[in-house]
Amino acid sequence: QVQLVESGGGLVQPGGSLRLSCVASGSIVSIDAMGWYRQAPGNERELVATITSSGNTKYANSGKGRFTISRDNAKNTVYLQMNNLKPEDTAVYYCKAEIPARLSYFGNYNYWGQGTQVTVSS
């Protein structure tokens, strides 16, 4: 009964910027790590960036220096600020939330957003 709703994707010219957001809603007590992943046609889904509940971030080399992941725990929201976008950034971007199971015995559940299209083209 957890849903992730993404927004912010679209068409942008090379060098432009986009800010993606993903809001988790439903039966949520807490969220552990959140992350952004992307998948281009013919490619496997790849990690873009992750952020822990305490704010520790990691980035794939592809976006390092251009992308910034952040979160607002009070709003159960994760953001991805993408600057200086390049055509190779074109992909469907998905957010993921790791949410503890109702019983700790089961560990965490992974929830995924529906994906939002980012197209970088002149």
Side-chain angles (χ1 to χ4, degrees):
Q1 121 164 228
V2 175
Q3 293 183 335
L4 305 182
V5 179
E6 302 180 6
S7 62
L11 175 65
V12 64
Q13 297 186 46
S17 298
L18 286 173
R19 184 177 178 85
L20 308 182
S21 64
C22 178
V23 181
S25 62
S27 182
I28 299 173
V29 175
S30 64
I31 303 176
D32 289 336
M34 304 184 79
W36 288 94
Y37 298 73
R38 68 186 186 186
Q39 187 168 20
N43 288 15
E44 295 185 348
R45 188 171 299 184
E46 66 177 14
L47 184 148
V48 177
T50 61
I51 183 168
T52 68
S53 59
S54 60
N56 185 263
T57 60
K58 292 186 179 296
Y59 298 90
N61 288 333
S62 58
K64 195 172 301 181
R66 300 184 297 121
F67 295 176
T68 301
I69 188 171
S70 61
R71 64 191 288 170
D72 185 336
N73 291 331
K75 297 181 177 180
N76 290 331
T77 300
V78 62
Y79 304 93
L80 183 68
Q81 178 68 45
M82 302 186 291
N83 297 326
N84 192 25
L85 284 162
K86 305 177 183 299
E88 51 263 43
D89 295 318
T90 296
V92 177
Y93 284 70
Y94 301 88
C95 65
K96 185 181 77 172
E98 299 176 7
I99 298 177
R102 301 174 74 86
L103 295 176
S104 60
Y105 176 89
F106 295 105
N108 283 9
Y109 295 150
N110 292 330
Y111 293 88
W112 292 88
Q114 78 285 358
T116 184
Q117 177 71 48
V118 172
T119 302
V120 184
S121 176
S122 59

